Amino acid sequence: MDSTFYKSLSTRRSLKYNYFFSSPAAGKPLLLFAHGFPCTSYDWRYQVTFFKEKGYGLIVPDMLGYGGTDKPTDAVDYKLGLIAQDLVDILDAEKINKAIAVGHDWGSLVVSRLTNYFPDRFIAFAFLAGGYSSPSTLKFAESYAKVTEIVGRELMGYWYFFAEDGAPELIEKNVSRCHFSSEEIERQKNEILKGGLTGPLNYYRTKVLDLDLEDVQAIPQENLVIHKPVFLATALQDYVALAPMQKAAMVQRAKGPLTIKDFDTSHWIMWQEKEKLNQELLVWIQGLVL
């Protein structure tokens, strides 16, 4: 991704965000891409190239804790509602009234909060691998037990480890022992280690420690479902974000037009099926009423 297109902004809570920005051509909407763990805005380079050439506007931030964006050490700063507000601050700075939000992994959770807190600022929402995450009033331990019972095995046991004191340092110390067969993942690993893992793992701490439980209880009831168009891309070889569960949750919560596409990939749809994903997103976007 061309570094000359990156900008820096201090949000209303005085956190600096590093983000790729390209203005939309006349009549084209802007796409906001939110990456997940453990990546950076570089995750989206194939989508950036594809949609930029077609005149779509782009805002692609390094999410809080990653890349050139600030990396506060307090997990409270990573509450998803606060990060959603940060992204809206960027839209405001670029004078973008409405956008299409696209999220992957933890980015999908942030996009979920955009649907809850700022639905009027968005034309539509797209979720990759991980679907819509409904605000829960249950403590994490209760939610974890329910999911384990439904699936019949532990899906999120590693969340507890990631939330432990000392986990960032332990992972950083031992990550070199891991074998990274993908050049994509190897590059991301090197990029993340430059800034450390305290920030990225704070997303998990926020959930495991129930730091945003009180905040989500204030979300208006009518915003607990999505009334705007939704695109869901499921990863059929993803053994954590299970495709059947993602579909079931989306069908329950998406009350507007819903498009679901399956991809025969693991978690990293945007790399492993980039051409198909780009084309499916394009067709979906072209069908939206702007």
Side-chain angles (χ1 to χ4, degrees):
M1 291 166 63
D2 189 339
S3 62
T4 63
F5 282 85
Y6 275 85
K7 301 178 71 172
S8 179
L9 172 76
S10 180
T11 65
R12 68 181 62 192
R13 56 186 182 129
S14 299
L15 291 172
K16 186 199 77 173
Y17 269 74
N18 182 58
Y19 62 98
F20 181 100
F21 176 72
S22 180
S23 299
K28 293 294 180 76
L30 181 134
L31 313 180
L32 168 66
F33 286 95
H35 70 80
F37 177 89
C39 302
T40 65
S41 56
Y42 183 74
D43 241 19
W44 299 109
R45 65 198 176 283
Y46 298 118
Q47 289 67 50
V48 165
T49 299
F50 180 83
F51 286 103
K52 186 175 182 297
E53 289 176 348
K54 299 185 182 309
Y56 289 92
L58 297 163
I59 289 178
V60 191
D62 289 331
M63 299 296 284
L64 191 66
Y66 293 93
T69 293
D70 279 349
K71 302 168 183 64
T73 57
D74 191 339
V76 171
D77 290 320
Y78 293 79
K79 293 195 289 186
L80 298 181
L82 296 178
I83 295 175
Q85 177 66 69
D86 292 341
L87 298 187
V88 170
D89 287 350
I90 298 174
L91 292 180
D92 289 342
E94 298 298 348
K95 297 179 171 55
I96 302 297
N97 185 43
K98 288 181 180 276
I100 297 169
V102 184
H104 173 255
D105 189 78
W106 275 96
S108 289
L109 274 75
V110 175
V111 170
S112 297
R113 294 302 162 263
L114 290 173
T115 76
N116 303 139
Y117 290 109
F118 306 101
D120 294 339
R121 296 299 302 271
F122 293 90
I123 300 163
F125 302 94
F127 301 84
L128 311 185
Y132 173 69
S133 177
S134 180
S136 176
T137 57
L138 295 177
K139 291 186 176 181
F140 178 78
E142 298 174 77
S143 297
Y144 175 81
K146 286 185 65 174
V147 171
T148 302
E149 181 180 0
I150 291 169
V151 178
R153 64 181 176 88
E154 293 189 357
L155 286 180
M156 302 185 298
Y158 65 96
W159 285 41
Y160 282 110
F161 167 62
F162 280 3
E164 289 180 2
D165 292 337
E169 294 78 13
L170 184 60
I171 297 172
E172 291 164 16
K173 180 180 178 180
N174 291 280
V175 71
S176 61
R177 299 182 183 180
C178 301
H179 174 66
F180 293 91
S181 58
S182 167
E183 182 180 343
E184 303 275 4
I185 298 175
E186 181 69 25
R187 187 194 186 285
Q188 294 283 22
K189 179 201 78 171
N190 293 333
E191 184 66 29
I192 292 304
L193 288 179
K194 291 179 185 177
L197 283 167
T198 298
L201 293 185
N202 270 334
Y203 288 81
Y204 295 91
R205 289 180 60 82
T206 298
K207 298 298 287 184
V208 171
L209 300 178
D210 300 314
L211 298 182
D212 61 354
L213 203 58
E214 184 176 347
D215 291 1
V216 299
Q217 292 176 358
I219 295 173
Q221 191 69 26
E222 62 270 20
N223 289 357
L224 297 180
V225 296
I226 310 174
H227 300 283
K228 302 290 179 69
V230 169
F231 178 95
L232 172 65
T234 62
L236 299 181
Q237 297 178 42
D238 191 326
Y239 300 110
V240 176
L242 302 176
M245 290 185 66
Q246 306 307 316
K247 291 180 183 179
M250 197 63 83
V251 168
Q252 182 181 15
R253 294 295 184 174
K255 301 306 179 182
L258 173 60
T259 300
I260 299 177
K261 298 293 181 180
D262 293 328
F263 292 79
D264 191 20
T265 69
S266 69
H267 192 58
W268 312 103
I269 300 172
M270 69 282 282
W271 307 342
Q272 296 171 327
E273 282 277 17
K274 51 185 177 291
E275 291 89 359
K276 179 182 176 182
L277 174 63
N278 290 345
Q279 192 59 43
E280 293 287 11
L281 279 173
L282 177 63
V283 170
W284 174 67
I285 292 168
Q286 289 175 332
L288 298 173
V289 177
L290 303 178

